[in-house]
Structures are given as structure tokens and as C-alpha cells.
């Protein structure tokens, strides 16, 4: 009888970056995990694993959803504790990329593991056939590759590779467990060098790097193209090299050189760059090196950057590249605008896209039978907004082929298969994609996995404008989606929500606010607020805020259930929308908070009001509630997970929930609305008896003391004073009753007063220009 595989306990061998990340995510998933590494010299035999746990708890990039989860990780070493592997259902190896060392370890693992346990390797450079060569058949049948991406907690992609003898039931178990419990998007890869994510991703990076040097572009110019305008992370190529480490990234490229076939096009963009070799020799290896890399922080001020001049090899002032096509592409979310014209920037964009997209097409079907796997690998592993084949569709398949031919470039066979067609299409209400044999097949995800970016292609919007859309879903449920740059909110966003609430209340059983972009919403469009201030249009600003407040209150008091399903950043005004939903389904890595004080204003969309009510409902004491809201909002506190949000009253235990896999947000939200819709009734809140002027004065004194101790700037005191004014009810005596609308009016008054100050204007301008807060 074949074993039924089930993962309840796990072990990870190797406490380096990847092994530690895997162990941390297992702990996040509620799994007890054993973490082993080499024994250390001296009496503390487990010192290596102990230091790893300290890194896992690093607040700058924590690997755990909550520090308490570290208790789920038991540490040891492979000399003293290998026998403990006998309790593990899954043993994940993440040690040095040396075949001889891995094989020796596998023999030791096989001697102690229990029958029916699964063993995997995190390798991406050694074929599985070599890893298991000489191992017993029973071991080979229960062995696979699970290639995670760094950082494991945040990167969704998991490449899953089977060996010739691997049982299908093993693959099914790994796929199901990692998708539902670990929150991963699974891409099943063939046992080919580099698999998919790194093979295409590193090729794109190397192409952008070599093309920039060949065309004489400055680092800022290249990164202005190969970044957000192209629909990929904002770091750009040179910023990414600095982030990862110039030495490490160079090693990654060379590792692919060593394993890819000699005829592979990757070799053409993998040659070492003399300037970068010199940088490595001199320790200019990026952010981690202390000496800088392609960029560095200036000595004069923390928010100033300098750029390496490729000609002089010295640092100069950072000069943001203002490229009209890049600005238009980013604003419109349309990377094809980069290809318009014939200047050096258009040629640079075309070189990257022509090379990378055709390279991706050359991998089907020889490296992977499915274009969907390639697209998923780049979206989940490299945070591209669109996969290579989606990008070709956006350019136009025939147009892309024609430009390749005009350049004298090779046309991959699979790309020619799509001539006159598209790689994706909608047929009879179903999204389909092109197969290697030239036919189309329906795009089918695992049960419970829904990506709205795919689903929306089969829907027609009921209402839409440039920044948001409103759709009808099955089961008579409406959905509002934001789709502006960073999903920032403006008057059009609010009007769309208002219209959606009115329509859904008459026609649907519930309403969901959701999108599957990188971030749910980064807040109110700050440039729009700046425009109000610049024009001294105080009435217009107040009207915008009042409309915002009335809109989110309409969400809260709609006659149908409203569920928000956010992922990524939900900050400022974006979080105010979330706060007014009946229930919230968070992604486990959701970042939430009211951060308006960082730009010198207060939450003006009902955020202060909502947090005051939430703290009162939790504490039952208006003074305690006012102090909690005052401090948390004043400091602009954020939470990096729902578990961190719960002590801040941003997550309601027993009301809100979270999922590990962001692709399950929408299906969970649909289930939640269906559960609520039958006998739904909203509860109208009663007015609050406000703390009054005595507590307000105490808060003002607290602010002055904090300023005297150097903890707050003068404008921090001013913004804090306005928060105190709101949470205490303004100039009222203790016990005065104020409704939600009354407190919202106080928010608008405080926002307006702050908006008139030079300090707030300076903070807003600084944030818009540098993306960082100004302390003034």
C-alpha cells in the first residue's frame, strides 16, 4: 500500500539565508520545525543555529509573522541531533551547493528518516538526477526539489521539480501543503538548468546591465527605464545589483554560465564587466558593503544619494532621470509607451524587451511545456506585473515578430506559432492560453485560488473610471478594484466606491473591495493634496475630505455586508477604507497603518474616528481609548502582519482573518460575504462621551515634554496637538457626546489647519520628491 503523505512536522538542514527562511515560513504556517546546522567549536554546539534565530527576528526584515512563532523552531546540529529527523514528515535540505556534500548528507538522512517522509533540496544549480544518483529507490521515490526564493516569507514563488522516480503523491503533497499552508504560488519545472525564474529573471537583469554600458547610459537613466515604467520593481538594474550585492549577483550570473548549455543565449550577456570587477576588488559591493556600490548615501544628509560616475570612477550628485516616456508609461501602467520614438531610451527599452521576451519564448516547450509557467515564475518570483507572454500580447504578437525580423534577430518557433494570434484570449467567458501544439486550453487554477487580474478579463465593468472599477461577480456579489498608480485614492476613487455601494445595495447580496496588485492602496494621492494647498483651495480640500468620509461611512452602513481583502501596503487613506469594512480578510504579510503624520497632516478620512471607537470598544474607557489612538496615530505606527496589527486595534480578533496565500484572498472574501449575507444587519454606533479639554491639556503637556527630550520635532508637536484635539472632542467638557459625523468634522478642521502651514507643505514636497519623510 502506498503511503499517504501528510506534513505535520518538518526539519530544515542548513541555517543560512535560505534554510532559515524556510524554517521561519514553516513556523509561520503553524508547523513545528527542527533547524539543524554544523556544530560550533566550544561548549555552545548549537551556536550557529542560535545566531540564525537572532537574524530571523531582525526587525528590519523579520522572517516571522510574530516573534512568538520562534518558539515553534527547535535548534540543533547535524552531529548531535541528526537522529531527531526521525520525527519529521518533511526534511528540507538547504546547505552549500556542493554535490559531494549533499550526497553525503542524504546518506546520513536516509539512515535515520522514517518511512514515508519526504526529502527535498533547495538547489537551483544541481540536476536532481545527480543529487539522488546511487541512493536507494525508496529515497529517490520520496525526493524532490523545492526551490524557494529569497526572502522566503515575502517571495511567493516556489519552483517544484520532480525526479525520474519521484512519486506523484509526493509531488501532490508538496504542492498542496506549500500552496495552502506556506502561501506559495507553485510552478512545476522540468529538471533543467536554472529552472524558470532565475533563468529568465537573471537573463533580463544581465541584458539590462550590458545594454546600459553599451549605450553609455548613466545608472539613473537605466534604472528609470528598467523599473516601474517596465512593470518591474523600482530598484532598476543598478539598484538591484546594489541591493543583492554586486559580488553575489555576479556569482549568480556565473553559476548560470557554468550550468547552461554552450549555445544558450545567456552567455552573450554574462561576460564580467571590468568596471564591476574593480568595484568588487575595492569593496564597493552595494548596500551591504559600507563603501557603496552604483549608488551610495552622501555624507552630508541621510536622504541624499550619490551615483558612481562610470568615466571617473568617483561619486557625483544623484540626478533623477526625467524621461517623458518613462513617466507616461508608469502613470498609465503601459510599458509599451517606452518603445515610442527612436531616442536612446526607446532603443534601450527595446533591447531589453526584444532580448528577454524572445528568450522566454525560446524556452517553450524545450524547457517547460507551458507559457503559463514562465509567466507565473516571473510574476511570483521577480514581482513583474506582467509575464513575458502577457507583455508580448500587449506589444502585439505580429508587431513584436516584425520588429525582431527587422533587427535580424532569431524568431523562436513558439513565438511564430502565435503569429496572427495572441498568447492569451477569452473564449466563451473563459480565459485561455496558447499551448506548444498551437491549440488553446482553459487557464485553470487550484481550487480556491483566484487572481482577479485574470478573472477581470472575462468580466465587463458595471462602472469604471481611470482609477477604479466596479464589477459583478457570481452569487450576486459586487467588487470594487483600485487600479491607479500605487492604487492611490482621489475624488474619482471615492465616487466609484459611492456609486458601487448604491448599486450593490439595490442589486447584490454583498460587496468586496479587493485588487491583486502589489499594494492594496498606498493612501490618498499626495500630489492631489499638494495641488489643493498650492492653489489655496481650502474649500475644495475640505469638500474632498468630506466626500471621502461620507463614502467610507457608506461602506460601513451599507445594507449589505462589505468585506475588504487587502494585500501589500494598506496605508493612510487606503487603510481608512479597510477600517470601514464589516470584515477584513488580510494577507499574512499585509502592512497596515495610519501614517499621515509623516507628511504633516492627520488622518482625514475617518481614520482617527475609527481608531478612537475601536479602542473604546476594546477598553471600555474613553480616556484610555483616547490615549491609545493619540499615541499610535501620532507616531504613525504600522504593523507588518495581522498578528502585529491586533495589539494596535488594526486587526479585530474574532472578526477579521488572514490567509497565507494572497491568491486565496478573493475566494475567502466570497465565502465570507456568502456566510454573512443571509441575515445581515449593520449596527449603528452610539455617540461617544468625549474626554474633553482636561485630557487634551495632558496630551499637549506630554508632547512638549517629548519635544524637550528631543523625541519630537516642532511640527511633530503641532500635528500631535491636532490629534489630541480630535480624540478629546475639541474644546468640550468631559462627557460631551459626539457622533461619528462630529468627530469626522474635527478631522477635517485639523487637516485644514495643518495644510495651511509651511512645514506640512515642506513635508509633502519632500515625500513626493524623495519618497521619505522630512523631520521638521
Amino acid at each position: 500500500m502506498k503511503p499517504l503523505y501528510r506534513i505535520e512536522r518538518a526539519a530544515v538542514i542548513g541555517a543560512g539565508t535560505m534554510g532559515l527562511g524556510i524554517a521561519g515560513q514553516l513556523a509561520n504556517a503553524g508547523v513545528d520545525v527542527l533547524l539543524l546546522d554544523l556544530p560550533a567549536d566550544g561548549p555552545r554546539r548549537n551556536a550557529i543555529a542560535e545566531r540564525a534565530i537572532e537574524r530571523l527576528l531582525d526587525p528590519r526584515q523579520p522572517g516571522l509573522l510574530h516573534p512568538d512563532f520562534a518558539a515553534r523552531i527547535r535548534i540543533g546540529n547535524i552531529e548531535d541531533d541528526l537522529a531527531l529527523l526521525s520525527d519529521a514528515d518533511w526534511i528540507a535540505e538547504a546547505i552549500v551547493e556542493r554535490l559531494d556534500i549533499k550526497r553525503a548528507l542524504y546518506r546520513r538522512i536516509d539512515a535515520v528518516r522514517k518511512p514515508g517522509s519526504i526529502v527535498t533540496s533547495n538547489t537551483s544549480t544541481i540536476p536532481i538526477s545527480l543529487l539522488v544518483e546511487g541512493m536507494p529507490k525508496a529515497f529517490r521515490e520520496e525526493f524532490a526539489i523545492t526551490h524557494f526564493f529569497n526572502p522566503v516569507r515575502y517571495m511567493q514563488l516556489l519552483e517544484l521539480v520532480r525526479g525520474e522516480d519521484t512519486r506523484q503523491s509526493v509531488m501532490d503533497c508538496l504542492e498542496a501543503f506549500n500552496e495552502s499552508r506556506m502561501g506559495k504560488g507553485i510552478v512545476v519545472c522540468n529538471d533543467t538548468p536554472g529552472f524558470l525564474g532565475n533563468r529568465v529573471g537573471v537573463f533580463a537583469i544581465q541584458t539590462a546591465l550590458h545594454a546600459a554600458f553599451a549605450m553609455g547610459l548613466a545608472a539613473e537613466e537605466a534604472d528609470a527605464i528598467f523599473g516601474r515604467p517596465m512593470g518591474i520593481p523600482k530598484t532598476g538594474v543598478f539598484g538591484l545589483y546594489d541591493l543583492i550585492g554586486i559580488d553575489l549577483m555576479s556569482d549568480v550570473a556565473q553559476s548560470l554560465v557554468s550550468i547552461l548549455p554552450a549555445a544558450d543565449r545567456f552567455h552573450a550577456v554574462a561576460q564580467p564587466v571590468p568596471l564591476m570587477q574593480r568595484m568588487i576588488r575595492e569593496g564597493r559591493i552595494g548596500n551591504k558593503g559600507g563603501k557603496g556600490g552604483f549608488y551610495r548615501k552622501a555624507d552630508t544628509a541621510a536622504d541624499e544619494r550619490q551615483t558612481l560616475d562610470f568615466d571617473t570612477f568617483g561619486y557625483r550628485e544623484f540626478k533623477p532621470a526625467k524621461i517623458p516616456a518613462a513617466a507616461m508609461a508608469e502613470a498609465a501602467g503601459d510599458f509599451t509607451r517606452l518603445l515610442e520614438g527612436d531616442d536612446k531610451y526607446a532603443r534601450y527599452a527595446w533591447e531589453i524587451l526584444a532580448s528577454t521576451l524572445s528568450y522566454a519564448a525560446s524556452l517553450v516547450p524545450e524547457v517547460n511545456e507551458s507559457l503559463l509557467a514562465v509567466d507565473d515564475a516571473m510574476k511570483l518570483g521577480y514581482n513583474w506585473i506582467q509575464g513575458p507572454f502577457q507583455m508580448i500580447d500587449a506589444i502585439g504578437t505580429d508587431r513584436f515578430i516584425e520588429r525582431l525580423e527587422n533587427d535580424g534577430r532569431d524568431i523562436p518557433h513558439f513565438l511564430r506559432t502565435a503569429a496572427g494570434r495572441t498568447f492569451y484570449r477569452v473564449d466563451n467567458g473563459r480565459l485561455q492560453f496558447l499551448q506548444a501544439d498551437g491549440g488553446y486550453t482553459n487557464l485553470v487554477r487550484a481550487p480556491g485560488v483566484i487572481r482577479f487580474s485574470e478573472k477581470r478579463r472575462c468580466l465587463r465593468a458595471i462602472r469604471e473610471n481611470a482609477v477604479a472599477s466596479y464589477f459583478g461577480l457570481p452569487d450576486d456579489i459586487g467588487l470594487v478594484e483600485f487600479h491607479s498608480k500605487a492604487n492611490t485614492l482621489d475624488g474619482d476613487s471615492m465616487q466609484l466606491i459611492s456609486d458601487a455601494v448604491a448599486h450593490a445595495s439595490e442589486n447584490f447580496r454583498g460587496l468586496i473591495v479587493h485588487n491583486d496588485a502589489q499594494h492594496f492602496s498606498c493612501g490618498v494621492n499626495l500630489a492631489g493634496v499638494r495641488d489643493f494647498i498650492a492653489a489655496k483651495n481650502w474649500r475644495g480640500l475640505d469638500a474632498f475630505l468630506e466626500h471621502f468620509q461620507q463614502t467610507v461611512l457608506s461602506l460601513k452602513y451599507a445594507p449589505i455586508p462589505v468585506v475588504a481583502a487587502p494585500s501589500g501596503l494598506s496605508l493612510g487613506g487606503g487603510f481608512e477604507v479597510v477600517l470601514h469594512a464589516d470584515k477584513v480578510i488580510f494577507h499574512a504579510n499585509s502592512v497596515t497603518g495610519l501614517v499621515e503624520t509623516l507628511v504633516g497632516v492627520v488622518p482625514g478620512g475617518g481614520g482617527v474616528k475609527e481608531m478612537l471607537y475601536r479602542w473604546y470598544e476594546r477598553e471600555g474607557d474613553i480616556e484610555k481609548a483616547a490615549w491609545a489612538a493619540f499615541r499610535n496615530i501620532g507616531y504613525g505606527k504600522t504593523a507588518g502582519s495581522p498578528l502585529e496589527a491586533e495589539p494596535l486595534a488594526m486587526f479585530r480578533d474574532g472578526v477579521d482573518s488572514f490567509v497565507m496565500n494572497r491568491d486565496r484572498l478573493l475566494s475567502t472574501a466570497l465565502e465570507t460575504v456568502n456566510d454573512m449575507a443571509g441575515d445581515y444587519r449593520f449596527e449603528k454606533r452610539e455617540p461617544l462621551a468625549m474626554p474633553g479639554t482636561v485630557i487634551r491639556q495632558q496630551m499637549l503637556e506630554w508632547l512638549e515634554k517629548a519635544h524637550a527630550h528631543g523625541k519630537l520635532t516642532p511640527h511633530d508637536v503641532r500635528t500631535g496637538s491636532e490629534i489630541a484635539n480630535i480624540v478629546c472632542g475639541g474644546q468640550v467638557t468631559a462627557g460631551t457626546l459626539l457622533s461619528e459625523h462630529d468627530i469626522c468634522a474635527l478631522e477635517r478642521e485639523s487637516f485644514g489647519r495643518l495644510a495651511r502651514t509651511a512645514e506640512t507643505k515642506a513635508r509633502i514636497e519632500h515625500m513626493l520628491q524623495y519618497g521619505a519623510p522630512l523631520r521638521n
Side-chain angles (χ1 to χ4, degrees):
M1 181 178 178
K2 293 182 179 179
L4 178 64
Y5 295 97
R6 184 181 180 88
I7 297 173
E8 295 178 347
R9 293 178 298 275
V12 178
I13 304 178
T17 299
M18 294 307 301
L20 182 62
I22 296 167
Q25 190 67 358
L26 282 162
N28 289 334
V31 177
D32 290 330
V33 56
L34 173 68
L35 177 63
L36 304 180
D37 206 294
L38 294 169
D41 296 331
R44 293 175 57 197
R45 300 273 287 172
N46 298 333
I48 295 175
E50 289 172 1
R51 289 194 295 270
I53 299 299
E54 293 174 4
R55 299 199 309 275
L56 197 64
L57 295 169
D58 185 347
R60 292 170 297 181
Q61 193 176 49
L64 297 176
L65 295 174
H66 194 280
D68 289 352
F69 288 0
R72 294 173 178 165
I73 305 175
R74 180 181 179 185
I75 61 173
N77 67 81
I78 60 172
E79 293 297 332
D80 304 330
D81 305 304
L82 202 69
L84 297 176
L85 297 178
S86 61
D87 290 331
D89 303 308
W90 175 21
I91 303 166
E93 170 267 306
I95 64 171
V96 64
E97 293 288 85
R98 281 267 305 274
L99 180 59
D100 57 337
I101 296 176
K102 289 181 185 289
R103 281 179 173 175
L105 177 62
Y106 297 159
R107 288 190 288 272
R108 296 182 62 195
I109 291 172
D110 198 39
V112 297
R113 75 183 185 100
K114 66 181 180 181
S117 61
I118 298 172
V119 182
T120 68
S121 174
N122 189 63
T123 186
S124 64
T125 62
I126 305 175
I128 197 170
S129 57
L130 295 180
L131 290 173
V132 298
E133 187 176 4
M135 294 299 296
K137 183 179 181 182
F139 183 90
R140 300 196 307 271
E141 289 177 336
E142 296 174 333
F143 186 89
I145 288 176
T146 46
H147 181 224
F148 291 88
F149 279 64
N150 184 47
V152 178
R153 173 182 166 185
Y154 296 99
M155 297 306 296
Q156 194 177 358
L157 178 61
L158 172 63
E159 293 181 322
L160 192 57
V161 185
R162 71 181 304 165
E164 184 178 346
D165 297 314
T166 310
R167 287 176 172 164
Q168 184 59 47
S169 52
V170 167
M171 300 297 290
D172 292 343
C173 175
L174 288 169
E175 184 167 356
F177 175 83
N178 280 284
E179 188 275 315
S180 62
R181 297 283 298 276
M182 297 281 275
K184 298 303 171 186
I186 309 298
V187 171
V188 178
C189 299
N190 295 330
D191 190 20
T192 56
F195 307 139
L196 284 179
N198 282 342
R199 189 158 180 179
V200 177
V202 178
F203 180 90
I205 293 166
Q206 290 299 113
T207 299
L209 179 78
H210 282 268
F213 282 119
M215 295 182 180
L217 297 182
E220 299 100 327
E221 293 177 309
D223 287 353
I225 297 294
F226 188 73
R228 281 177 173 165
M230 202 169 278
I232 62 179
K234 65 179 181 180
T235 49
V237 58
F238 292 106
L240 182 62
Y241 256 88
D242 276 358
L243 179 65
I244 296 176
I246 294 169
D247 54 343
L248 179 58
M249 192 63 202
S250 298
D251 289 343
V252 169
Q254 291 309 304
S255 70
L256 285 170
V257 166
S258 67
I259 60 175
L260 289 173
D264 195 275
R265 289 161 52 189
F266 182 86
H267 297 287
V269 293
Q271 311 95 322
V273 177
L275 179 138
M276 295 171 64
Q277 291 177 307
R278 178 181 174 184
M279 293 174 71
I280 294 171
R281 287 195 303 269
E282 296 184 8
R284 303 190 194 190
I285 57 175
N287 300 351
K288 65 179 182 179
K291 295 183 179 180
F294 291 110
Y295 302 106
R296 74 176 186 183
K297 288 185 177 179
D299 296 332
T300 54
D303 55 18
E304 292 184 4
R305 298 173 70 194
Q306 293 180 327
T307 306
L308 183 68
D309 188 295
F310 298 156
D311 295 324
T312 67
F313 206 68
Y315 286 94
R316 58 164 174 77
E317 179 185 358
F318 177 86
K319 301 175 183 177
K322 297 180 180 179
I323 303 170
M328 289 191 298
E330 184 179 355
D334 180 7
F335 74 94
T336 64
R337 297 194 178 193
L338 296 171
L339 305 178
E340 297 172 359
D342 191 38
D343 59 17
K344 62 180 179 180
Y345 304 119
R347 293 194 298 272
Y348 180 60
W350 170 248
E351 177 60 33
I352 296 169
L353 292 169
S355 298
T356 302
L357 304 186
S358 60
Y359 182 70
S362 73
L363 302 182
V364 180
E366 286 77 11
V367 173
N368 198 292
E369 296 78 11
S370 172
L371 70 85
L372 187 64
V374 179
D375 278 355
D376 281 353
M378 297 315 300
K379 289 188 291 183
L380 301 177
Y382 278 77
N383 283 334
W384 289 18
I385 292 176
Q386 299 182 81
F389 295 97
Q390 292 173 312
M391 297 178 83
I392 296 174
D393 276 353
I395 295 170
T397 308
D398 291 345
R399 180 188 173 203
F400 185 63
I401 292 173
E402 181 181 7
R403 288 198 64 172
L404 292 178
E405 289 176 333
N406 291 340
D407 287 354
R409 300 175 189 257
D410 292 335
I411 313 297
H413 173 74
F414 183 54
L415 180 56
R416 288 200 182 277
T417 302
R421 299 187 291 174
T422 55
F423 287 107
Y424 293 88
R425 73 176 189 185
V426 175
D427 184 64
N428 291 323
R430 299 294 300 271
L431 182 59
Q432 299 181 327
F433 63 93
L434 188 65
Q435 295 178 286
D437 62 8
Y440 285 92
T441 188
N442 290 337
L443 196 164
V444 179
R445 298 290 183 188
V449 171
I450 305 175
R451 297 179 188 166
F452 188 68
S453 57
E454 296 170 351
K455 191 174 187 65
R456 76 189 308 276
R457 294 189 60 174
C458 304
L459 300 172
R460 177 172 294 181
I462 298 171
R463 303 273 195 283
E464 63 182 335
N465 56 37
V467 294
S469 299
Y470 166 56
F471 300 89
L473 301 179
D475 294 337
D476 292 328
I477 296 172
L479 183 143
V480 171
E481 177 199 38
F482 304 136
H483 45 70
S484 61
K485 179 182 175 182
N487 285 333
T488 56
L489 307 176
D490 60 15
D492 288 341
S493 311
M494 293 300 103
Q495 189 60 54
L496 192 287
I497 294 177
S498 180
D499 291 345
V501 171
H503 182 274
S505 297
E506 294 291 331
N507 297 279
F508 292 143
R509 300 168 57 247
L511 182 66
I512 295 171
V513 187
H514 168 73
N515 61 74
D516 60 6
Q518 184 177 6
H519 301 303
F520 175 79
S521 173
C522 294
V524 167
N525 185 338
L526 205 54
V529 175
R530 177 191 59 187
D531 293 343
F532 280 121
I533 294 172
K536 296 184 179 180
N537 184 4
W538 311 122
R539 285 188 177 181
L541 178 59
D542 186 72
F544 164 69
L545 293 174
E546 184 173 21
H547 183 214
F548 196 115
Q549 292 172 343
Q550 296 306 313
T551 299
V552 294
L553 283 171
S554 74
L555 283 173
K556 186 169 188 61
Y557 294 117
I560 55 174
V562 176
V563 173
S567 60
L569 301 180
S570 300
L571 300 177
F575 190 48
E576 288 176 305
V577 172
V578 171
L579 284 170
H580 287 83
D582 291 303
K583 291 189 177 184
V584 185
I585 314 299
F586 291 96
H587 178 231
N589 291 329
S590 293
V591 178
T592 54
L594 298 172
V595 295
E596 286 85 348
T597 57
L598 299 180
V599 290
V601 294
V602 296
V608 182
K609 176 269 302 178
E610 187 62 25
M611 294 311 300
L612 181 63
Y613 265 94
R614 286 197 178 194
W615 279 109
Y616 178 70
E617 290 160 359
R618 175 177 291 195
E619 298 287 347
D621 184 311
I622 191 60
E623 291 186 13
K624 289 182 179 180
W627 275 102
F630 166 72
R631 290 195 177 100
N632 290 340
I633 297 171
Y635 281 124
K637 286 189 175 181
T638 60
S641 74
L643 295 173
E644 292 180 5
E646 194 279 333
L648 302 175
M650 298 178 188
F651 177 89
R652 299 162 296 181
D653 190 25
V655 177
D656 302 326
S657 61
F658 69 91
V659 297
M660 292 292 287
N661 191 334
R662 62 183 294 159
D663 289 337
R664 290 183 173 270
L665 281 169
L666 182 51
S667 62
T668 306
L670 288 166
E671 293 172 3
T672 303
V673 170
N674 278 316
D675 289 343
M676 297 172 65
D679 54 355
Y680 176 77
R681 297 288 186 277
F682 66 79
E683 294 184 13
K684 187 73 174 178
R685 280 172 167 163
E686 296 298 324
L688 287 177
M690 303 302 288
T693 54
V694 173
I695 301 303
R696 177 177 176 272
Q697 183 59 36
Q698 292 177 8
M699 290 178 178
L700 298 182
E701 292 171 0
W702 184 93
L703 290 167
E704 291 297 339
K705 288 180 181 178
H707 172 54
H709 286 89
K711 296 180 179 179
L712 298 177
T713 69
H715 202 53
D716 290 337
V717 173
R718 189 163 190 170
T719 55
S721 300
E722 294 293 353
I723 296 169
N725 189 67
I726 300 166
V727 299
C728 293
Q731 301 289 339
V732 300
T733 58
T736 301
L737 294 176
L738 293 187
S739 68
E740 289 185 272
H741 290 279
D742 295 331
I743 301 172
C744 282
L746 291 173
E747 287 185 2
R748 299 200 310 276
E749 291 170 7
S750 289
F751 196 108
R753 283 191 291 269
L754 290 168
R756 288 171 168 82
T757 66
E759 293 83 357
T760 288
K761 183 178 179 181
R763 285 193 180 190
I764 290 174
E765 292 287 356
H766 191 276
M767 182 64 76
L768 287 171
Q769 183 171 357
Y770 297 105
L774 172 68
R775 300 299 306 279
N776 60 358

